[in-house]
Every structure is written in structure tokens, then in C-alpha cells.
Amino acid sequence: MLRTHTCGELNPKNISEKVTLCGWVQKSRDLGGMTFVDMRDRYGITQLVFNMQTNAKLCEKARKLGREFVISVSGIVEERSNKNLKIPTGEIEITVDKFDILSKSKLPPFTIEDNTDGGEELRMKYRYLDLRRNPLRKNLELRHRMTIETRNYLNSQKFIEIETPYLIKSTPEGARDFVVPSRMNEGEFYALPQSPQTFKQLLMIAGYDRYYQLVKCFRDEDLRADRQPEFTQIDCEMSFVTQDDILNTFEELIKHLFKKVKNINVEDFPIISYDYAMKYYGTDKPDIRFEMKFVELNNLAKGSGFKVFDDTESVVGICAEGCGDYSRKQLDKLTDFVRKPQIGAKGLVYVKYNEDGSFKSSVDKFFDQKALKTWSEAFNAEPGDLLLILSGESGHTGKALCELRLEMGNRLELRDKNKFCPLWIVDFPLLEWDDETNKYHAMHHPFTSPKAEDIQLLNSEPGKARANAYDLVINGVEIGGGSIRIFNKELQKKMFKALGFTEEQAQEQFGFLMNAFEYGAPPHGGIALGFDRLVALFGGSDSIRDYIAFPKNNAGRDVMIDSPSAIFAEQLKELKLKIEE
Ligand code: ASP
């Protein structure tokens, strides 16, 4: 080894030892008689001292060190007179008697400090420098610990990790495929997996009754802070289990991670139905760190001559506790918020429940105190509270009110980053109507089984069928989802038919799976958890990019290696691909 210790481990116990360390120059201070250098590696920072009186030559050399030079130093560990108790090595320093410059560095384009002066794009371009900074290093260490603990838990439950291929045929998970041309098969393409879905099911048929894989998946879709074109899943499948078995197994995995990684005991996860979530939170990924459930006012608010309510499908609201003293300006701001194009509500009705028991509302002309009192009772409101009410088509209104609920949660500081409230959403609809294609889409994926009692609906009213599908949601973030699968050829055929496939299309694309069902398929089901999102959540951030070593930017580009990029004409020729002029 070129070093005896790292820069993060020496302490008063090592005093008078002779040591050799290697690392990067964080900064140096020239005080005339003495030069101090902070040397950094992955493990910490150690102070080096060069003394003009005892070794002028070495001290001169140290003065010339630039930031981020890589050096190797040997010397004696000494007690420091000016101690820094904030860092583990802060009580000692190395009096250097020998040092080498292993590698010089240009001046970095941004400071390698916890709070850097570099902008996002610049840091992405020099990602290897950004990764030297503590916050990113800590993120990758967190990710590593979570990988280990995930494997520890699943291994302890008899799961076996099996790799599935990346060059495959399309697996539909609702996004576009990334495709790879095949040189050896002219005009043909592989697809990169959107998930290992069909392979893990085939592994169940092969008898590997508990499979997992920490696996890269690829989806060509529009990017957001919590989406990357390639991302990692904890992908799992189990045979001979019920939905409850799967929920229990993965609830325990999440609890294990919270305990081992953050030393937090999370409570048992509530299980709520999709319909309940939509009705009371307007979303299938509710943030249940706070209550503020929706209250429907259709019966109380319609028929009083207020046209906006009378002519609409849904009148629904929330109660913001203690906000009854909101000023005109604050209420205008909330109205502007719900009117933003992304939210799309037409307006906002408010009712202030005054401390004296009276009401002041934006609809006083249409509703008297008695009427407003009945509203407040529906909300279980108290004097001092504020009712915020939206109306319109129920889907849109629910979405808009969901955003308003989250906004009020933020304003009232009810969305504490250190509080974790996981829950399961179950009983999803099996299918979803798509106006663009005029077809049903599988809400989860086409391999998800319908509830036994809803199978007959597939022929008559497919939109009403519910699925044996579930999602895991934590703090309003969809962390994962899965389902109990179809394992019977006839039912799978029926499902493809409901999705608008002809029998030939179904056979061509998924014949391999349906044929496998004819050779002894066990009942099975599984789940996949978005690992990047889970790590980001543990780290207290919304951006998964900060937890991926080499992520892509919002345009799906890696600006460091400049990819995607054109390929050589030679390669195109070899692949028999032509780019249209
Ligand atoms: N393949 C699904 C997904 O990637 C998860 C599952 O059903 O197990 O979302």
C-alpha cells in the first residue's frame, strides 16, 4: 500500500507514530513560519504542518501546492495546539518530513466544498469533481448501505438474486422502449427492459420460488426530478403466496431498512383502497403525514342558487386548521395557486370560521350563517379554522384539491422530512381507458390478475374490473408497486383481448409466456421498488439525481461524456441503418 492510514482515522492514540498518508489538497494556509495543509480523502481530512525553521526546503515546496493536487506525505503524528473538536482527526496533525506530489491538478471549475459555488450544469460536466464533495459522497454511501441491507434482508428470507438479460424484447410498463439494433440480425432490434417482468415470472415457472434482483430498468419517457431514463429497482417475485404475504414481506423489508439505516421504528403500514385514496386525498399516492382529508359537500352546497356549485359535478373541500385568520392577500395567493395552469381550478371558495363562532365566506350572498355552520360540521371544523372549497368535474377537482392540500401541508409545516408514513394502496382498477388510442390500457401491466369476482366483468364492463395490484407509497411518493399475476393461458388471452390485442398479436409478442403457462405455472406475484427514489427519500431529498453516481440531465443527456451522440457512418452501415436526410 502507498499509505499506512487514511485521512479520517488518526487521533490522539496515534501520537508519535510515523505514518504515510495519501490524498487531495483541500486547502493550504501559509503563515510565514509555518504552512498548514488540509489533506482530504474519502474518509476525512487531516492537517499537515510544514515548519520553515526545521525544514525550509519542504516548506517551500508545500507553499506551492495547489488545490486538488494529489500528494503522499510521511511524518509524525503530533498533538495539535489549536484543536478542532468538530472532526474526528481534529486533535492531531502530521509534522511532515517527506512528501511527493503524485499528481497535479488544474484549478477546479468550482469549489470542492460542502456548499459549492458551481452551478448544476457545470457540476454535471465535471461529475467526478462534484463526487469528491461530502454531500454527494454521503449520498453514495447511504445508497451502498441500503443495497447491503436490502440484500441482507432478502437473503435472510430465502430469496435468491438472479440476473436477467438487458437485451430483450419489449416488456410493456407503460413507457416507450429504448431499442438496440442487432448487427447480426439485419433490420431487427432488441429492446432494453422497462422491467424484468416476464423473466421473473418465467423464473417462478422454473421453480425459483423467491427471486430478487437489484436491477437497472430503462424507460424512454419525459424526465422529472424523480425520473431518469435508466434507474434501479429492487425487483422481486414469489410463488405460492397471497397478496397479504407479499405486502407483509415487503413491509418488513422497508421496516428493516428504516431500522438498520436510520434507526427509526416505523409503524405498521395502513392499507387503503384506491377508491378511498381518490375520494379522500384525490390521488393514489397520498401523503398521510397529515390528515386534512377531503370532505364532499354536494348535498349541502348544491341547490342554493349559487350557479357555480349547482351546475357542477363535485363540490369538495379541505379544512386548514388554525388558518381562519388568513388575510385577503393570503387568500388571493391561494386562489392564484389553484388557478395556475398546472392546477387548473377556476376559482376557490373559502369559509373562515371566526373565533367568535360566526362565519365569513366568499359566498356569503348565497349561503347564510346556518348553512355555513352545517358545512363546518361536515368538516369537523373548529373556530379559527379555514375551509377551502373547489368545484368542477370530479377528476380535475380532486387533482386540484390534492395539490392545494399539499400546499397547505407545506404552509403549515406538516410535511416533516424526518417523519416517514408509508402505506399500501390496494384494489386498483385493472384497466384504464385511454382517449387518445381509444383503447383500454393495463393500469399496472397486462400480467396483473383481475380479482376473481371481477373476471366476468372482462367481457361486459372491463372498466369496472379491479386488480390484485398494490402500490407502496411513502410521504406522497410512489415507491413501488406489484401484483398477483395471471398464471393461466386462457385468462391471459382474455386479458390481451380486453387490451385490444388480436390473438395473433398476443401470441407473437407474449406467446413465450403464455406457452410457459402450459407447463406447470405456480400461482405467483411480486413487486418492484424504485431504489433511487427510496434512497433519495431516506436522504431527505426529492431529487434522485443526487443519489446516482452518473445521472442524466433533464434532456436525458450525460453532459460529461456527451451522450447520446451520433455514431460513425461505418457503424450505421454495419447495422444496415440509414438516417433519413
Ligand atoms: N414490473 C413492475 C414494475 O416495474 C413491478 C411488478 O409488477 O413486480 O413496475
Side-chain angles (χ1 to χ4, degrees):
M1 299 279 186
L2 297 182
R3 58 185 172 185
T4 57
H5 295 81
T6 69
C7 297
E9 65 178 301
L10 295 171
N11 60 55
K13 286 199 197 104
N14 303 92
I15 284 169
S16 19
E17 278 178 33
K18 183 157 174 57
V19 298
T20 302
L21 304 184
C22 297
W24 285 259
V25 173
Q26 175 78 29
K27 61 173 183 228
S28 59
R29 290 174 310 264
D30 179 4
L31 304 183
M34 306 260 236
T35 293
F36 293 97
V37 172
D38 280 351
M39 178 158 118
R40 182 195 75 237
D41 66 10
R42 207 184 115 191
Y43 308 91
I45 285 194
T46 298
Q47 176 165 295
L48 313 176
V49 210
F50 299 85
N51 194 323
M52 202 61 185
Q53 271 177 356
T54 52
N55 198 337
K57 216 168 132 208
L58 212 63
C59 200
E60 290 291 352
K61 193 170 153 195
R63 280 179 180 173
K64 294 199 194 101
L65 284 173
R67 278 176 186 254
E68 302 306 312
F69 277 37
V70 183
I71 56 175
S72 151
V73 303
S74 298
I76 305 290
V77 182
E78 315 237 25
E79 184 170 1
R80 213 153 127 176
S81 48
N82 199 356
K83 296 195 171 57
N84 174 1
L85 295 178
K86 283 197 209 122
I87 58 171
T89 56
E91 291 178 76
I92 57 96
E93 61 194 8
I94 316 285
T95 304
V96 179
D97 51 41
K98 184 170 168 270
F99 93 89
D100 292 316
I101 295 173
L102 302 178
S103 189
K104 288 188 178 169
S105 171
K106 282 192 186 172
L107 191 67
F110 49 85
T111 52
I112 314 290
E113 307 274 355
D114 290 6
N115 289 316
T116 174
D117 57 358
E120 171 96 20
E121 195 71 10
L122 194 63
R123 285 187 288 121
M124 288 279 260
K125 182 159 183 217
Y126 295 93
R127 186 69 171 177
Y128 47 91
L129 296 180
D130 206 17
L131 289 172
R132 285 185 191 166
R133 299 191 309 115
N134 283 323
L136 280 173
R137 176 180 52 77
K138 284 190 185 140
N139 291 351
L140 293 189
E141 285 171 357
L142 170 67
R143 186 180 177 109
H144 171 67
R145 249 181 297 138
M146 291 182 68
T147 309
I148 302 264
E149 287 305 335
T150 298
R151 291 204 162 102
N152 281 350
Y153 171 81
L154 292 171
N155 295 344
S156 79
Q157 299 299 308
K158 297 202 169 65
F159 281 81
I160 153 169
E161 183 162 19
I162 303 176
E163 288 170 276
T164 52
Y166 284 150
L167 295 176
I168 65 163
K169 180 156 152 168
S170 176
T171 304
E173 294 278 1
R176 287 193 184 85
D177 288 321
F178 282 103
V179 294
V180 180
S182 162
R183 179 182 56 83
M184 287 191 285
N185 303 276
E186 191 182 325
E188 294 186 318
F189 296 80
Y190 301 100
L192 298 179
Q194 292 184 39
S195 85
Q197 185 60 37
T198 50
F199 288 97
K200 65 176 174 176
Q201 291 192 240
L202 292 166
L203 285 170
M204 294 304 108
I205 298 172
Y208 295 86
D209 59 0
R210 288 177 168 216
Y211 140 94
Y212 80 96
Q213 185 180 193
L214 269 94
V215 64
K216 273 286 177 75
C217 298
F218 306 84
R219 294 184 192 176
D220 188 1
E221 52 193 346
D222 294 337
L223 305 181
R224 298 188 305 234
D226 63 350
R227 259 196 207 155
Q228 282 275 306
E230 53 177 302
F231 59 96
T232 305
Q233 283 190 345
I234 308 174
D235 190 52
C236 304
E237 196 75 7
M238 303 170 87
S239 291
F240 309 118
V241 286
T242 62
Q243 173 167 312
D244 281 349
D245 296 323
I246 296 185
L247 302 197
N248 285 335
T249 306
F250 291 91
E251 181 162 330
E252 287 308 314
L253 165 64
I254 297 293
K255 285 181 178 168
H256 173 92
L257 289 172
F258 273 112
K259 182 73 206 162
K260 293 283 178 182
V261 178
K262 292 186 80 73
N263 198 21
I264 292 177
N265 294 308
V266 281
E267 312 232 323
D268 289 348
F269 304 1
I271 303 178
I272 68 174
S273 73
Y274 171 86
D275 287 347
Y276 184 97
M278 296 308 287
K279 181 164 178 201
Y280 291 105
Y281 302 101
T283 174
D284 57 4
K285 33 180 180 291
D287 183 346
I288 58 163
R289 279 173 295 185
F290 63 108
E291 273 279 317
M292 218 187 275
K293 282 189 199 159
F294 291 10
V295 173
E296 204 216 73
L297 287 182
N298 280 359
N299 290 339
L300 296 179
K302 285 190 180 193
S304 291
F306 181 46
K307 258 186 108 23
V308 177
F309 284 178
D310 290 350
D311 296 349
T312 200
E313 191 180 355
S314 166
V315 182
V316 59
I318 50 174
C319 171
E321 272 177 39
C323 297
D325 59 355
Y326 262 35
S327 63
R328 179 80 249 165
K329 212 168 143 196
Q330 281 172 303
L331 290 164
D332 286 347
K333 272 206 168 144
L334 285 183
T335 307
D336 291 344
F337 174 84
V338 298
R339 279 191 178 147
K340 281 197 296 193
Q342 314 89 291
I343 313 253
K346 290 216 182 70
L348 175 69
V349 167
Y350 70 81
V351 181
K352 289 176 167 187
Y353 195 164
N354 298 323
E355 294 290 353
D356 66 5
S358 67
F359 297 92
K360 170 84 196 90
S361 83
S362 54
V363 285
D364 281 349
K365 262 197 232 152
F366 302 94
F367 300 94
D368 59 15
Q369 294 285 308
K370 206 168 135 221
L372 298 177
K373 174 97 186 143
T374 57
W375 293 14
S376 75
E377 282 162 4
F379 283 93
N380 264 326
E382 301 277 339
D385 290 351
L386 173 70
L387 310 182
L388 297 168
I389 298 156
L390 297 181
S391 60
E393 183 270 318
S394 43
H396 281 138
T397 310
K399 260 195 204 144
L401 191 60
C402 167
E403 294 298 334
L404 182 61
R405 175 180 176 269
L406 295 175
E407 171 68 16
M408 293 314 294
N410 287 338
R411 283 171 187 242
L412 294 171
E413 297 180 4
L414 301 171
R415 305 180 74 196
D416 178 357
K417 275 198 168 19
N418 297 310
K419 186 171 166 192
F420 297 94
C421 294
L423 80 158
W424 292 107
I425 311 284
V426 299
D427 299 349
F428 278 85
L430 184 70
L431 306 170
E432 202 174 21
W433 183 254
D434 182 18
D435 282 332
E436 260 172 43
T437 54
N438 251 331
K439 271 186 192 167
Y440 278 112
H441 277 216
M443 189 138 177
H444 188 52
H445 52 54
F447 316 107
T448 295
S449 62
K451 294 218 170 273
E453 61 273 27
D454 291 356
I455 291 180
Q456 25 87 7
L457 291 174
L458 280 185
N459 296 329
S460 49
E461 296 171 288
K464 290 226 168 103
R466 286 161 313 147
N468 291 311
Y470 32 82
D471 271 2
L472 172 66
V473 175
I474 309 181
N475 294 2
V477 180
E478 183 194 326
I479 291 296
S483 60
I484 298 293
R485 325 297 184 189
I486 295 168
F487 64 105
N488 158 295
K489 186 168 184 172
E490 287 318 307
L491 184 54
Q492 188 66 71
K493 271 189 176 169
K494 222 179 196 174
M495 178 71 178
F496 281 126
K497 191 164 163 218
L499 293 171
F501 282 70
T502 64
E503 215 166 292
E504 294 71 42
Q505 284 168 337
Q507 188 60 35
E508 188 198 298
Q509 286 187 49
F510 299 107
F512 65 94
L513 184 66
M514 289 193 286
N515 295 344
F517 287 161
E518 296 185 301
Y519 291 92
H524 60 284
I527 191 166
L529 308 178
F531 189 59
D532 312 281
R533 279 188 199 172
L534 191 61
V535 180
L537 185 88
F538 271 55
S541 163
D542 297 329
S543 170
I544 64 172
R545 242 180 253 167
D546 299 340
Y547 297 82
I548 296 174
F550 298 106
K552 314 245 183 303
N553 73 6
N554 270 345
R557 301 198 66 84
D558 183 326
V559 290
M560 180 181 63
I561 60 172
D562 192 20
S563 148
S565 54
I567 58 173
F568 292 116
E570 259 315 291
Q571 285 173 296
L572 283 174
K573 209 170 127 200
E574 209 168 45
L575 294 166
K576 310 263 187 328
L577 289 177
K578 264 205 207 98
I579 305 269
E580 294 292 335
E581 288 296 310

